[in-house]
Amino acid sequence: SAVISQKPSRDICQRGTSLTIQCQVDSQVTMMFWYRQQPGQSLTLIATANQGSEATYESGFVIDKFPISRPNLTFSTLTVSNMSPEDSSIYLCSVGVAGVGTGELFFGEGSRLTVL
Amino acid sequence: SQKIEQNSEALNIQEGKTATLTCNYTNYSPAYLQWYRQDPGRGPVFLLLIRENEKEKRKERLKVTFDTTLKQSLFHITASQPADSATYLCAASDRGGFKTIFGAGTRLFVKA
């Protein structure tokens, strides 16, 4: 298993600003992902955070809007840039435990963003 | 596109009964199906995983089935308790095991 800490847990932001969310894992993990969960909806994969290379983005998500860093195997950040009210959502960091390879994911508690 | 569909209506059952939640997938042949529990304001918590070559998996009061012909998974909670009240998410992942897509979840209410 893995313990994942996310910061901030929640924030209220002004339109046009940017916010960086941090994800810290208590062990080294190969696979790290960022998801978005809009109110009442399912989790949508934003991107896979790759250590030492650029993140792999899913359709509909671009690096300019959601830049991601992954400097090592235990840490990643997601920035939500130039925010609008449509970006109000819960952003979740998740990891796949290295060596398991079965798709089981562990999640942080999420960062709830409200954009005014 | 690949889709995971769960019953959007909430499921209300009496304590002690068996809760059965349904997950259907389309345009997809997942290698694994997973079920997660999510409480309000919390991140999802992994419960069970079943592989495409498995028909059924059990863990304590939980049971999951995987029918590749019907493209469906059923999730059962036997002897349900009010503490089982939560949203349950179905998820599917490919053979690499890490690109996972989620259904919208089904809310379960267990009444005492």
Side-chain angles (χ1 to χ4, degrees):
Chain A
S1 68
V3 177
I4 302 163
S5 302
Q6 271 187 247
K7 289 194 292 188
S9 58
R10 59 178 61 231
D11 208 340
I12 300 173
C13 307
Q14 295 298 319
R15 180 196 299 260
T17 62
S18 298
L19 182 77
T20 295
I21 302 167
Q22 297 180 3
C23 176
Q24 179 74 54
V25 189
D26 68 341
S27 57
Q28 293 188 339
V29 292
T30 304
M31 309 297 288
M32 190 177 278
F33 308 92
W34 287 98
Y35 282 85
R36 181 173 74 183
Q37 187 174 30
Q38 294 181 306
Q41 297 192 25
S42 183
L43 282 72
T44 301
L45 181 62
I46 297 171
T48 302
N50 301 309
Q51 194 265 328
S53 64
E54 195 170 282
T56 305
Y57 289 85
E58 297 299 308
S59 176
F61 297 95
V62 295
I63 188 171
D64 290 345
K65 176 68 176 176
F66 297 102
I68 288 171
S69 78
R70 177 93 192 268
N72 56 51
L73 292 176
T74 64
F75 186 78
S76 178
T77 66
L78 168 75
T79 299
V80 186
S81 303
N82 188 25
M83 287 185 284
S84 67
E86 293 70 36
D87 295 319
S88 297
S89 189
I90 299 172
Y91 293 85
L92 292 150
C93 172
S94 75
V95 302
V97 178
V100 176
T102 61
E104 174 183 341
L105 296 176
F106 296 90
F107 285 85
E109 295 291 6
S111 299
R112 181 183 294 270
L113 263 56
T114 301
V115 184
L116 303 177
Chain B
S1 62
Q2 299 167 343
K3 272 191 180 178
I4 305 293
E5 294 176 323
Q6 296 183 253
N7 192 344
S8 59
E9 290 184 18
L11 179 62
N12 292 280
I13 64 167
Q14 200 65 36
E15 182 177 12
K17 300 292 187 185
T18 296
T20 298
L21 285 67
T22 304
C23 172
N24 296 291
Y25 57 91
T26 55
N27 298 322
Y28 198 15
S29 294
Y32 311 102
L33 284 175
Q34 306 154 53
W35 286 85
Y36 292 79
R37 170 181 172 142
Q38 187 172 27
D39 292 288
R42 310 294 298 272
V45 175
F46 172 79
L47 295 174
L48 270 178
L49 174 146
I50 186 166
R51 294 174 172 78
E52 60 182 337
N53 61 351
E54 297 175 319
K55 296 286 187 190
E56 182 180 296
K57 199 82 165 281
R58 291 176 186 262
K59 179 182 176 183
E60 297 172 352
R61 294 186 295 114
L62 309 180
K63 184 177 86 171
V64 174
T65 63
F66 193 169
D67 189 325
T68 56
T69 302
L70 293 178
K71 294 184 180 291
Q72 183 180 82
S73 174
L74 298 179
F75 176 76
H76 306 272
I77 305 175
T78 58
S80 59
Q81 305 165 1
D84 294 326
S85 299
T87 296
Y88 291 87
L89 305 174
C90 174
S93 48
D94 56 21
R95 196 151 281 105
F98 288 114
K99 181 166 179 179
T100 304
I101 57 174
F102 284 81
T106 299
R107 288 203 73 184
L108 172 67
F109 294 98
V110 182
K111 299 178 188 175

